Amino acid sequence: MKIAAIPFVLCVGFLLESCSTTKQETATAGNGSPETLSQSAAPADVNLRQMIVPHGRYGRHIEFPLHATYITIHSTDNPNATALQHARGMAVGAFRARTKWNRTGYMTWHFTVDDVQAIQSLPLNIQGEHADHDGPGNMTSIGIEICELRNPARQAAALDRAARLTAWLMHDQNIPLDHVVPHYHWPQWHFHGNQKNCPRILLEHGRPGPRWEAFLQKINGYYEHGA
Protein backbone atom coordinates (compact mmCIF):
# COMPACT_ATOMS: atom_id res chain seq x y z
CA MET A 1 0.00 0.00 0.00
CA LYS A 2 1.41 3.39 -0.97
CA ILE A 3 1.91 5.47 2.15
CA ALA A 4 2.89 9.12 2.19
CA ALA A 5 6.56 9.68 2.96
CA ILE A 6 7.22 10.05 6.67
CA PRO A 7 9.54 12.66 8.19
CA PHE A 8 12.47 11.05 9.99
CA VAL A 9 11.32 12.51 13.31
CA LEU A 10 7.66 12.74 14.35
CA CYS A 11 6.97 14.86 17.43
CA VAL A 12 4.75 12.43 19.24
CA GLY A 13 6.59 11.81 22.47
CA PHE A 14 3.31 11.45 24.32
CA LEU A 15 2.60 8.13 22.61
CA LEU A 16 3.07 5.11 24.87
CA GLU A 17 3.58 1.48 23.92
CA SER A 18 3.06 -1.73 25.90
CA CYS A 19 4.11 -5.33 25.34
CA SER A 20 1.63 -8.08 24.48
CA THR A 21 1.14 -10.20 27.57
CA THR A 22 -2.28 -11.78 28.20
CA LYS A 23 -5.50 -12.92 26.49
CA GLN A 24 -7.31 -9.80 27.70
CA GLU A 25 -4.51 -7.28 27.64
CA THR A 26 -4.56 -3.56 28.23
CA ALA A 27 -2.87 -1.31 25.70
CA THR A 28 -2.26 2.41 26.11
CA ALA A 29 -3.61 4.54 23.27
CA GLY A 30 -2.08 7.76 21.99
CA ASN A 31 -4.37 9.82 24.20
CA GLY A 32 -3.17 7.98 27.31
CA SER A 33 -6.40 6.04 27.91
CA PRO A 34 -6.31 2.26 28.40
CA GLU A 35 -7.98 -0.12 25.95
CA THR A 36 -8.54 -3.85 26.40
CA LEU A 37 -7.46 -6.01 23.46
CA SER A 38 -8.87 -9.52 23.07
CA GLN A 39 -5.90 -11.52 21.82
CA SER A 40 -3.32 -13.97 23.07
CA ALA A 41 0.29 -13.11 23.75
CA ALA A 42 2.48 -13.04 20.65
CA PRO A 43 5.73 -15.05 20.64
CA ALA A 44 8.66 -13.11 22.05
CA ASP A 45 10.56 -13.15 18.75
CA VAL A 46 7.75 -11.18 17.09
CA ASN A 47 8.61 -8.34 19.51
CA LEU A 48 5.04 -7.06 19.38
CA ARG A 49 4.25 -3.64 20.84
CA GLN A 50 1.03 -1.63 20.78
CA MET A 51 0.58 1.96 19.73
CA ILE A 52 -3.18 1.97 19.30
CA VAL A 53 -4.95 4.74 17.39
CA PRO A 54 -7.08 6.52 20.02
CA HIS A 55 -10.73 5.47 20.08
CA GLY A 56 -12.94 8.18 18.55
CA ARG A 57 -10.07 10.01 16.82
CA TYR A 58 -8.44 10.04 13.38
CA GLY A 59 -8.88 6.64 11.70
CA ARG A 60 -11.16 5.52 14.53
CA HIS A 61 -13.57 8.45 14.62
CA ILE A 62 -15.84 6.01 12.72
CA GLU A 63 -15.50 2.30 13.50
CA PHE A 64 -16.71 -0.80 11.70
CA PRO A 65 -16.61 -4.16 13.54
CA LEU A 66 -14.32 -6.88 12.21
CA HIS A 67 -14.59 -10.64 12.51
CA ALA A 68 -11.42 -11.51 10.64
CA THR A 69 -11.40 -14.48 8.28
CA TYR A 70 -8.43 -13.31 6.18
CA ILE A 71 -5.02 -11.74 6.70
CA THR A 72 -3.92 -9.28 4.00
CA ILE A 73 -0.21 -8.70 3.46
CA HIS A 74 1.03 -5.33 2.17
CA SER A 75 4.36 -3.57 1.77
CA THR A 76 4.62 0.12 2.53
CA ASP A 77 6.02 1.48 -0.76
CA ASN A 78 7.86 3.94 1.50
CA PRO A 79 11.52 2.87 1.37
CA ASN A 80 13.47 2.79 4.63
CA ALA A 81 10.67 4.18 6.81
CA THR A 82 10.41 2.08 9.97
CA ALA A 83 7.52 0.40 11.74
CA LEU A 84 7.80 2.97 14.52
CA GLN A 85 7.53 5.88 12.10
CA HIS A 86 4.47 4.38 10.40
CA ALA A 87 2.77 3.57 13.71
CA ARG A 88 3.42 7.04 15.08
CA GLY A 89 2.05 8.59 11.91
CA MET A 90 -1.13 6.51 12.05
CA ALA A 91 -1.66 7.30 15.75
CA VAL A 92 -1.75 11.05 15.05
CA GLY A 93 -3.78 10.91 11.84
CA ALA A 94 -0.89 11.61 9.45
CA PHE A 95 -2.13 9.30 6.67
CA ARG A 96 -5.12 11.05 5.16
CA ALA A 97 -7.26 9.17 2.65
CA ARG A 98 -6.41 9.54 -1.02
CA THR A 99 -9.83 8.66 -2.42
CA LYS A 100 -13.43 9.61 -1.72
CA TRP A 101 -14.35 5.97 -1.05
CA ASN A 102 -12.32 5.68 2.13
CA ARG A 103 -14.97 5.41 4.83
CA THR A 104 -13.02 7.03 7.67
CA GLY A 105 -10.93 9.57 5.78
CA TYR A 106 -7.66 7.93 6.94
CA MET A 107 -5.53 5.00 5.86
CA THR A 108 -5.37 2.50 8.71
CA TRP A 109 -4.13 -1.06 9.18
CA HIS A 110 -3.50 -3.38 12.10
CA PHE A 111 0.25 -4.07 12.18
CA THR A 112 3.46 -2.62 10.77
CA VAL A 113 6.57 -4.82 10.74
CA ASP A 114 10.26 -4.11 10.24
CA ASP A 115 13.54 -5.78 11.18
CA VAL A 116 13.29 -4.59 14.80
CA GLN A 117 9.68 -5.03 15.87
CA ALA A 118 6.01 -5.36 14.98
CA ILE A 119 3.68 -2.59 16.14
CA GLN A 120 -0.09 -2.95 16.47
CA SER A 121 -2.19 0.11 15.64
CA LEU A 122 -5.78 -1.21 15.63
CA PRO A 123 -7.63 -3.72 17.79
CA LEU A 124 -8.32 -6.95 15.92
CA ASN A 125 -12.07 -6.41 16.13
CA ILE A 126 -12.02 -3.10 14.21
CA GLN A 127 -11.80 -2.85 10.41
CA GLY A 128 -8.93 -0.96 8.85
CA GLU A 129 -8.83 1.01 5.59
CA HIS A 130 -6.02 -0.79 3.80
CA ALA A 131 -7.32 -3.09 1.06
CA ASP A 132 -10.31 -2.18 -1.09
CA HIS A 133 -12.28 0.73 0.38
CA ASP A 134 -15.79 -0.59 1.11
CA GLY A 135 -15.04 -4.07 -0.23
CA PRO A 136 -14.54 -7.50 1.36
CA GLY A 137 -10.80 -6.99 1.88
CA ASN A 138 -11.34 -4.33 4.52
CA MET A 139 -14.48 -5.97 5.88
CA THR A 140 -12.95 -9.40 6.50
CA SER A 141 -9.18 -9.05 6.91
CA ILE A 142 -6.42 -8.03 9.28
CA GLY A 143 -3.95 -5.74 7.50
CA ILE A 144 -0.18 -6.21 7.89
CA GLU A 145 2.24 -3.71 6.34
CA ILE A 146 5.84 -4.88 5.85
CA CYS A 147 8.38 -2.08 5.75
CA GLU A 148 10.50 -1.81 2.60
CA LEU A 149 14.16 -1.66 3.58
CA ARG A 150 17.05 -1.08 1.19
CA ASN A 151 19.45 -3.29 3.14
CA PRO A 152 18.86 -6.93 2.05
CA ALA A 153 19.63 -8.37 5.50
CA ARG A 154 17.21 -5.97 7.19
CA GLN A 155 14.55 -6.74 4.57
CA ALA A 156 14.96 -10.48 5.12
CA ALA A 157 14.60 -9.93 8.88
CA ALA A 158 11.41 -7.91 8.36
CA LEU A 159 9.92 -10.65 6.17
CA ASP A 160 10.81 -13.29 8.74
CA ARG A 161 9.17 -11.26 11.52
CA ALA A 162 6.07 -10.75 9.36
CA ALA A 163 5.86 -14.51 8.79
CA ARG A 164 6.07 -15.15 12.55
CA LEU A 165 3.42 -12.50 13.22
CA THR A 166 1.12 -13.99 10.58
CA ALA A 167 1.51 -17.52 11.99
CA TRP A 168 0.59 -16.26 15.47
CA LEU A 169 -2.47 -14.46 14.10
CA MET A 170 -3.55 -17.61 12.26
CA HIS A 171 -3.53 -19.46 15.59
CA ASP A 172 -5.10 -16.62 17.55
CA GLN A 173 -7.89 -15.85 15.08
CA ASN A 174 -8.35 -19.36 13.63
CA ILE A 175 -7.45 -18.28 10.08
CA PRO A 176 -6.17 -20.92 7.61
CA LEU A 177 -3.12 -20.47 5.39
CA ASP A 178 -5.22 -20.25 2.23
CA HIS A 179 -6.81 -17.12 3.71
CA VAL A 180 -3.44 -15.35 3.95
CA VAL A 181 -3.48 -13.23 0.81
CA PRO A 182 -1.57 -10.39 -0.82
CA HIS A 183 -3.22 -7.01 -1.28
CA TYR A 184 -3.29 -8.03 -4.96
CA HIS A 185 -6.01 -10.56 -4.05
CA TRP A 186 -8.67 -7.87 -3.57
CA PRO A 187 -9.86 -6.18 -6.82
CA GLN A 188 -10.22 -2.42 -6.58
CA TRP A 189 -13.80 -2.15 -7.82
CA HIS A 190 -13.76 1.64 -7.75
CA PHE A 191 -10.80 1.46 -10.15
CA HIS A 192 -12.11 -0.91 -12.85
CA GLY A 193 -11.23 -4.03 -10.84
CA ASN A 194 -7.50 -3.25 -10.82
CA GLN A 195 -5.42 -5.66 -8.72
CA LYS A 196 -2.67 -3.72 -7.00
CA ASN A 197 1.02 -4.61 -7.22
CA CYS A 198 1.23 -5.09 -3.46
CA PRO A 199 3.15 -6.31 -1.54
CA ARG A 200 5.53 -5.43 -4.35
CA ILE A 201 8.53 -6.89 -2.48
CA LEU A 202 6.85 -10.33 -2.62
CA LEU A 203 5.33 -10.32 -6.12
CA GLU A 204 6.78 -11.00 -9.58
CA HIS A 205 5.74 -8.57 -12.31
CA GLY A 206 2.84 -7.47 -10.14
CA ARG A 207 1.50 -10.96 -9.46
CA PRO A 208 2.01 -13.74 -6.91
CA GLY A 209 4.78 -16.14 -7.89
CA PRO A 210 7.75 -17.96 -6.33
CA ARG A 211 8.53 -15.24 -3.77
CA TRP A 212 4.95 -15.20 -2.51
CA GLU A 213 4.88 -19.00 -2.32
CA ALA A 214 8.16 -19.02 -0.38
CA PHE A 215 6.70 -16.50 2.06
CA LEU A 216 3.62 -18.69 2.58
CA GLN A 217 5.84 -21.70 3.23
CA LYS A 218 7.81 -19.70 5.82
CA ILE A 219 4.52 -18.76 7.53
CA ASN A 220 3.37 -22.36 7.46
CA GLY A 221 6.61 -23.56 9.01
CA TYR A 222 6.15 -21.23 11.97
CA TYR A 223 2.46 -22.10 12.19
CA GLU A 224 3.13 -25.83 12.38
CA HIS A 225 5.72 -25.25 15.10
CA GLY A 226 3.17 -23.32 17.15
CA ALA A 227 4.49 -19.78 16.51
Side-chain angles (χ1 to χ4, degrees):
M1 179 166 64
K2 179 70 173 178
I3 299 170
I6 303 173
F8 185 73
V9 177
L10 288 170
C11 297
V12 287
F14 62 89
L15 290 172
L16 300 176
E17 307 92 36
S18 62
C19 293
S20 178
T21 55
T22 63
K23 185 64 180 175
Q24 296 289 328
E25 61 183 289
T26 301
T28 304
N31 60 1
S33 61
E35 180 163 359
T36 300
L37 305 179
S38 296
Q39 59 195 56
S40 64
D45 48 18
V46 172
N47 195 20
L48 178 62
R49 303 163 69 188
Q50 279 96 23
M51 189 176 290
I52 304 297
V53 177
H55 175 69
R57 300 189 67 188
Y58 311 120
R60 293 182 66 192
H61 73 100
I62 302 171
E63 292 185 348
F64 302 91
L66 172 66
H67 175 69
T69 55
Y70 283 84
I71 299 169
T72 299
I73 306 296
H74 305 262
S75 63
T76 59
D77 197 12
N78 190 13
N80 267 11
T82 66
L84 181 59
Q85 288 173 301
H86 285 98
R88 283 177 168 171
M90 207 184 329
V92 297
F95 305 130
R96 286 301 191 96
R98 298 186 173 196
T99 76
K100 65 183 179 181
W101 297 289
N102 183 301
R103 297 167 299 168
T104 66
Y106 296 87
M107 291 188 291
T108 55
W109 56 95
H110 297 83
F111 299 91
T112 314
V113 184
D114 64 13
D115 58 320
V116 174
Q117 62 192 331
I119 303 182
Q120 184 175 358
S121 296
L122 291 178
L124 296 181
N125 62 351
I126 300 296
Q127 294 177 33
E129 287 286 334
H130 57 91
D132 54 0
H133 303 95
D134 49 2
N138 285 340
M139 294 178 183
T140 64
S141 77
I142 295 166
I144 298 175
E145 286 277 357
I146 305 172
C147 292
E148 298 188 11
L149 304 167
R150 293 189 176 97
N151 181 289
R154 293 183 65 200
Q155 187 67 80
L159 290 170
D160 184 76
R161 191 180 307 279
R164 293 174 186 270
L165 171 66
T166 303
W168 165 65
L169 288 168
M170 288 167 60
H171 278 294
D172 189 75
Q173 300 293 305
N174 195 28
I175 296 174
L177 185 65
D178 62 2
H179 279 207
V180 177
V181 298
H183 188 183
Y184 171 90
H185 177 83
W186 306 110
Q188 309 295 304
W189 297 118
H190 294 294
F191 296 92
H192 311 289
N194 174 62
Q195 290 175 278
K196 194 167 183 180
N197 178 17
C198 180
R200 63 179 187 173
I201 58 175
L202 287 171
L203 303 184
E204 271 89 18
H205 307 292
R207 298 189 178 198
R211 283 188 294 182
W212 177 253
E213 289 303 316
F215 182 65
L216 289 181
Q217 289 308 307
K218 184 181 285 288
I219 293 169
N220 194 50
Y222 289 129
Y223 178 80
E224 289 183 343
H225 285 86

